Amino acid sequence: MKVDPATLPWRDAYKLLIGSVLPRPIAFVSTVDLQGHSNLAPFSFFSGICAKPMMVCFAPMIRGSDGKKKDTLANIEATKQFVINIVGERIAAQMNDCAIEFPPEVDEFTYTGLTKAPSHSVLPPRVQESDVQLECTLHQIVTLGELPGAGSLVIGRVVCVHVRDELFEGGKINSELLRPIGRMAGQTYTRAVSDTFDLERK
Ligand SMILES: Cc1cc2nc3c(=O)[nH]c(=O)nc-3n(C[C@H](O)[C@H](O)[C@H](O)COP(=O)(O)O)c2cc1C
């Protein structure tokens, strides 16, 4: 079967994309607005880009319900700062709850009971219960359209990395302890370390 995605309604194109690119890691992004309200939301169009400079990216789409930009993007445009909290299984349920479309003034930390930890170099707080947190300053936003189905690529420079001491072994993060999860299509998640295999390179 061959599909030209440009001919599909955006929701069908979205289903095709999220069913093809998976499992996806999850950036649990904390931001603040100019009044200081905190915001927390998950984004699985997320990737690392390079190590030095350490750069990461994620992509908030335009909201399907009202055609507006998501609070996370509006806050980053205003403050140029964000934190990516890595999602392990322990905080999966709270992360999932933060995908609810709350009005901008709702603080998802309060809603979920997650704890704000002050950041070192940026204003948005970190999620204390997350085992790895990346403090980022905005490098660039690439806008790829303004209608539902479109989105923006947010590229950030990581200016400070926090790793829970117990997970950091010889300069590496122990993924068995991190227990990262990935997002599949729909409402399904996967445990990343339960079924791994190694391939040697010659
Ligand atoms: C696991 C997961 C991954 C998500 N990934 C994305 C994504 O990559 N891009 C996006 O626009 N929305 C994504 N969402 C939906 C947003 O989290 C949701 O729209 C949220 O309300 C945005 O919050 P905000 O308006 O406070 O930024 C995801 C939701 C979940 C549960």
Side-chain angles (χ1 to χ4, degrees):
M1 191 179 107
K2 256 195 320 221
V3 182
D4 175 357
T7 62
L8 296 175
W10 79 262
R11 285 182 199 281
D12 293 343
Y14 174 70
K15 283 182 203 157
L16 198 54
L17 183 61
I18 63 169
S20 306
V21 182
L22 74 179
R24 296 179 303 285
I26 301 165
F28 198 15
V29 182
S30 38
T31 54
V32 288
D33 67 14
L34 290 176
Q35 286 71 48
H37 298 118
S38 303
N39 193 85
L40 195 52
F43 295 90
S44 63
F45 289 155
F46 162 49
S47 187
I49 303 173
C50 56
K52 195 161 178 179
M54 189 181 284
M55 308 292 284
V56 291
C57 62
F58 74 97
M61 293 172 65
I62 297 292
R63 261 205 305 253
S65 57
D66 59 6
K68 293 204 173 132
K69 53 178 77 153
K70 299 197 176 181
D71 299 339
T72 301
L73 179 61
N75 289 352
I76 295 172
E77 285 175 344
T79 65
K80 321 278 187 236
Q81 299 183 340
F82 58 96
V83 178
I84 292 184
N85 304 277
I86 300 298
V87 180
E89 212 176 320
R90 278 182 293 275
I91 57 168
Q94 292 96 322
M95 172 282 296
N96 192 52
D97 283 348
C98 289
I100 299 170
E101 254 182 46
F102 293 111
E105 62 279 8
V106 170
D107 183 333
E108 287 88 352
F109 280 93
T110 311
Y111 180 82
T112 55
L114 289 167
T115 314
K116 287 177 193 168
S119 291
H120 178 265
S121 310
V122 298
L123 282 175
R126 299 174 285 133
V127 174
Q128 190 171 296
E129 291 80 359
S130 160
D131 289 328
V132 180
Q133 306 122 10
L134 312 175
E135 293 185 23
C136 300
T137 56
L138 178 64
H139 173 73
Q140 193 182 351
I141 296 176
V142 182
T143 304
L144 299 162
E146 307 284 353
L147 296 175
S152 299
L153 184 68
V154 176
I155 303 172
R157 174 189 283 258
V158 180
V159 292
C160 187
V161 181
H162 301 261
V163 186
R164 194 180 303 289
D165 290 344
E166 304 90 272
L167 271 67
F168 205 46
E169 296 168 356
K172 290 186 193 163
I173 293 172
N174 181 326
S175 51
E176 297 281 341
L177 295 177
L178 180 64
R179 301 185 65 74
I181 57 165
R183 191 183 190 196
M184 308 295 283
Q187 302 197 330
T188 306
Y189 294 93
T190 183
R191 295 180 179 88
V193 289
S194 55
D195 191 18
T196 61
F197 60 95
D198 293 342
L199 288 176
E200 278 185 26
R201 276 186 302 262
K202 297 195 175 93

